Amino acid sequence: MVIAVALVVEVPAAAYPPQVLVFVANTGSDNVTVYDTRLGEVIATVGVGDGPVGVGASPNGDLVYVTNELSDSVSVLESRTQLVVATIPVGDKPFGVTATGTHAYVSNFGSDSVTVIDIATQKPVAEIPVGRLPHTPIASPDGSRVYVTNNGAASVTVIDTRIDKPVGTIPVGRFPAGITIGSRGDRIYVANTGDDTVTVAGTTSGRPNATIPVGDAPMGLSATPRDVVYVANAGADTISVINFPNLGTTSTSPVNRRPEGAAAAPDNSFVYITNTASNTMSVIDTATSKQVALVPVGQQPEGVAVTG
């Protein structure tokens, strides 16, 4: 007698995608929209201070900092629970924020300074003078430098985070706004709203090495892990895509009305663009540099950050 035996072979399950969250500051509705990239939907709306405009996440993604321009404060959100865990007083009209592993840096547009916040205590520990009308800061990948665009001075202030003091100034274009940094930390990219260009500068040399024309009134920009830079052209309702190393603008794509903020996913999958005049966020597929989804958010969305 032959007995047939069925063999059961376990097939490993597909890797479960990590939870990557997008946080959008809605200036007109005093709240933050939280979008789950894994689910493809909004999972929370969190009330913060008056006039939230800038967003920055800690490197490990645990905390998100939101600048409240009209209440001179920063709201700290825990990304896992989407709850506000602290509110921190800062300088006049805080605009942008970035974070290292130990500190958050807030550009105070109205007081020409940067407030330094200790992440362990959620308390301000220093105030650093910078250029006129500081707009947006960005931290280097290793956390050793913070670069701040000075909207009223056509420059970028370089801060040494070991001593929390300015150590250099980089000349850029007119009315610099958004800023991002390459994955290797060797180049910064600055959106010059006043002359429709992006300045590329070396972080070692501290000097500009290229000026790239983009669309009308570029505001926010973000570099993907592969150093493709996406620029939100607020006056043209488009994004410009800059490829490296040839420093050429490779494409321009339409989005919704008045795109201002930009943030890239850490896995090089999508870029998220806030459309301030249409209360939406565009999801851009990096494979095609085209909009593949449009997400309703709060009123007048500006800053955006991705955790993960």
Side-chain angles (χ1 to χ4, degrees):
M1 183 173 61
V2 178
I3 300 175
V5 179
L7 297 178
V8 178
V9 179
E10 290 190 7
V11 178
Y16 196 62
Q19 185 179 45
V20 175
L21 301 179
V22 182
F23 290 78
V24 177
N26 302 306
T27 306
S29 51
D30 299 338
N31 57 27
V32 171
T33 297
V34 186
Y35 174 81
D36 189 319
T37 64
R38 183 176 57 192
L39 300 176
E41 62 185 40
V42 172
I43 61 170
T45 301
V46 185
V48 289
D50 295 336
V53 60
V55 190
S58 60
N60 63 9
D62 289 347
L63 297 172
V64 173
Y65 292 81
V66 181
T67 57
N68 304 306
E69 187 178 20
L70 301 183
S71 55
D72 297 340
S73 67
V74 169
S75 297
V76 185
L77 280 66
E78 186 183 68
S79 61
R80 182 178 58 84
T81 62
Q82 297 96 55
L83 295 176
V84 175
V85 294
T87 301
I88 305 167
V90 291
D92 185 34
K93 294 182 175 58
F95 198 92
V97 57
T98 191
T100 68
T102 57
H103 294 84
Y105 292 79
V106 180
S107 55
N108 302 307
F109 194 82
S111 52
D112 299 342
S113 65
V114 168
T115 297
V116 185
I117 297 169
D118 187 327
I119 286 179
T121 64
Q122 304 300 356
K123 303 288 185 184
V125 293
E127 196 85 4
I128 305 171
V130 290
R132 187 166 178 265
L133 306 179
H135 192 283
T136 304
I138 191 73
S140 62
D142 65 1
S144 66
R145 293 286 190 271
V146 166
Y147 301 86
V148 186
T149 56
N150 301 308
N151 194 253
S155 66
V156 170
T157 296
V158 184
I159 295 171
D160 185 333
T161 60
R162 295 170 302 176
I163 57 175
D164 282 336
K165 294 184 182 299
V167 292
T169 302
I170 302 172
V172 291
R174 295 181 65 218
F175 306 136
I179 183 171
T180 191
I181 192 165
S183 58
R184 294 183 299 275
D186 58 342
R187 287 185 291 210
I188 58 170
Y189 313 96
V190 179
N192 303 307
T193 306
D195 55 21
D196 305 336
T197 62
V198 167
T199 297
V200 185
T203 56
T204 301
S205 67
R207 295 192 301 270
N209 53 40
T211 300
I212 303 170
V214 289
D216 184 28
M219 289 286 290
L221 76 176
S222 186
T224 71
R226 295 178 183 170
D227 279 357
V228 178
V229 177
Y230 286 75
V231 185
N233 302 310
D237 299 342
T238 63
I239 55 169
S240 295
V241 184
I242 305 171
N243 236 319
F244 292 87
N246 61 1
L247 301 181
T249 301
T250 59
S251 64
T252 300
S253 299
V255 287
N256 262 207
R257 290 184 295 130
R258 195 169 176 81
E260 293 199 10
D267 62 355
N268 202 61
S269 56
F270 298 101
V271 172
Y272 302 90
I273 306 290
T274 55
N275 304 302
T276 304
S278 62
N279 302 334
T280 60
M281 178 180 71
S282 295
V283 181
I284 309 298
D285 187 340
T286 59
T288 62
S289 298
K290 304 294 184 184
Q291 178 178 291
V292 293
L294 195 62
V295 181
V297 292
Q299 296 176 26
Q300 298 172 23
E302 290 197 42
V304 57
V306 182
T307 66

